[in-house]
mmCIF file of all heavy atoms in Angstrom:
data_model
loop_
_atom_site.group_PDB
_atom_site.id
_atom_site.type_symbol
_atom_site.label_atom_id
_atom_site.label_comp_id
_atom_site.label_asym_id
_atom_site.label_seq_id
_atom_site.Cartn_x
_atom_site.Cartn_y
_atom_site.Cartn_z
ATOM 1 N N PRO K 405 -19.584 62.740 13.447
ATOM 2 C CA PRO K 405 -18.789 61.765 14.171
ATOM 3 C C PRO K 405 -18.460 62.006 15.667
ATOM 4 O O PRO K 405 -18.417 61.177 16.464
ATOM 5 C CB PRO K 405 -17.447 61.768 13.305
ATOM 6 C CG PRO K 405 -17.979 62.010 11.952
ATOM 7 C CD PRO K 405 -19.041 63.143 12.223
ATOM 8 N N SER K 406 -18.302 63.322 15.979
ATOM 9 C CA SER K 406 -17.974 63.703 17.324
ATOM 10 C C SER K 406 -19.154 63.331 18.303
ATOM 11 O O SER K 406 -18.984 62.982 19.432
ATOM 12 C CB SER K 406 -17.749 65.203 17.453
ATOM 13 O OG SER K 406 -18.800 65.962 16.865
ATOM 14 N N GLN K 407 -20.413 63.376 17.727
ATOM 15 C CA GLN K 407 -21.514 62.992 18.561
ATOM 16 C C GLN K 407 -21.594 61.503 18.822
ATOM 17 O O GLN K 407 -21.891 61.021 19.845
ATOM 18 C CB GLN K 407 -22.820 63.405 17.893
ATOM 19 C CG GLN K 407 -22.955 64.964 17.695
ATOM 20 C CD GLN K 407 -23.989 65.325 16.703
ATOM 21 O OE1 GLN K 407 -24.692 64.462 16.070
ATOM 22 N NE2 GLN K 407 -24.285 66.695 16.618
ATOM 23 N N ALA K 408 -21.192 60.722 17.783
ATOM 24 C CA ALA K 408 -21.134 59.251 17.934
ATOM 25 C C ALA K 408 -19.971 58.956 18.930
ATOM 26 O O ALA K 408 -20.162 57.998 19.770
ATOM 27 C CB ALA K 408 -20.821 58.652 16.615
ATOM 28 N N ALA K 409 -18.920 59.585 18.901
ATOM 29 C CA ALA K 409 -17.767 59.325 19.826
ATOM 30 C C ALA K 409 -18.245 59.569 21.199
ATOM 31 O O ALA K 409 -17.877 58.852 22.148
ATOM 32 C CB ALA K 409 -16.616 60.237 19.405
ATOM 33 N N ARG K 410 -18.953 60.663 21.377
ATOM 34 C CA ARG K 410 -19.456 60.999 22.731
ATOM 35 C C ARG K 410 -20.367 59.967 23.315
ATOM 36 O O ARG K 410 -20.221 59.566 24.527
ATOM 37 C CB ARG K 410 -20.256 62.320 22.749
ATOM 38 C CG ARG K 410 -20.630 62.829 24.132
ATOM 39 C CD ARG K 410 -21.470 64.105 23.957
ATOM 40 N NE ARG K 410 -21.781 64.613 25.403
ATOM 41 C CZ ARG K 410 -22.770 65.545 25.532
ATOM 42 N NH1 ARG K 410 -23.441 66.024 24.499
ATOM 43 N NH2 ARG K 410 -22.998 65.981 26.751
ATOM 44 N N ALA K 411 -21.171 59.316 22.434
ATOM 45 C CA ALA K 411 -22.095 58.286 22.958
ATOM 46 C C ALA K 411 -21.319 57.090 23.403
ATOM 47 O O ALA K 411 -21.571 56.523 24.439
ATOM 48 C CB ALA K 411 -22.989 57.941 21.809
ATOM 49 N N MET K 412 -20.257 56.754 22.670
ATOM 50 C CA MET K 412 -19.390 55.647 23.047
ATOM 51 C C MET K 412 -18.651 56.063 24.263
ATOM 52 O O MET K 412 -18.349 55.099 25.181
ATOM 53 C CB MET K 412 -18.455 55.215 21.903
ATOM 54 C CG MET K 412 -19.190 54.831 20.633
ATOM 55 S SD MET K 412 -20.352 53.430 20.906
ATOM 56 C CE MET K 412 -19.164 52.188 21.276
ATOM 57 N N GLU K 413 -18.152 57.168 24.484
ATOM 58 C CA GLU K 413 -17.443 57.567 25.707
ATOM 59 C C GLU K 413 -18.319 57.497 26.919
ATOM 60 O O GLU K 413 -17.811 57.181 28.017
ATOM 61 C CB GLU K 413 -16.955 59.111 25.569
ATOM 62 C CG GLU K 413 -15.793 59.204 24.561
ATOM 63 C CD GLU K 413 -15.577 60.702 24.321
ATOM 64 O OE1 GLU K 413 -16.267 61.634 24.747
ATOM 65 O OE2 GLU K 413 -14.521 61.005 23.504
ATOM 66 N N MET K 414 -19.659 57.602 26.789
ATOM 67 C CA MET K 414 -20.579 57.497 27.885
ATOM 68 C C MET K 414 -20.851 56.028 28.180
ATOM 69 O O MET K 414 -21.530 55.788 29.209
ATOM 70 C CB MET K 414 -21.872 58.113 27.473
ATOM 71 C CG MET K 414 -21.789 59.674 27.461
ATOM 72 S SD MET K 414 -23.248 60.556 26.643
ATOM 73 C CE MET K 414 -24.568 59.991 27.753
ATOM 74 N N GLY K 415 -20.428 55.119 27.397
ATOM 75 C CA GLY K 415 -20.402 53.672 27.689
ATOM 76 C C GLY K 415 -21.563 53.011 26.929
ATOM 77 O O GLY K 415 -21.949 51.792 27.215
ATOM 78 N N PHE K 416 -22.211 53.604 25.866
ATOM 79 C CA PHE K 416 -23.134 52.910 25.105
ATOM 80 C C PHE K 416 -22.431 51.867 24.238
ATOM 81 O O PHE K 416 -21.229 51.973 23.940
ATOM 82 C CB PHE K 416 -23.884 53.909 24.228
ATOM 83 C CG PHE K 416 -24.961 54.639 25.006
ATOM 84 C CD1 PHE K 416 -24.611 55.770 25.741
ATOM 85 C CD2 PHE K 416 -26.199 54.177 25.044
ATOM 86 C CE1 PHE K 416 -25.594 56.460 26.394
ATOM 87 C CE2 PHE K 416 -27.133 54.842 25.821
ATOM 88 C CZ PHE K 416 -26.858 56.016 26.531
#
Side-chain angles (χ1 to χ4, degrees):
S406 57
Q407 298 166 354
R410 186 184 183 195
M412 299 305 293
E413 289 171 356
M414 290 166 60
F416 284 86

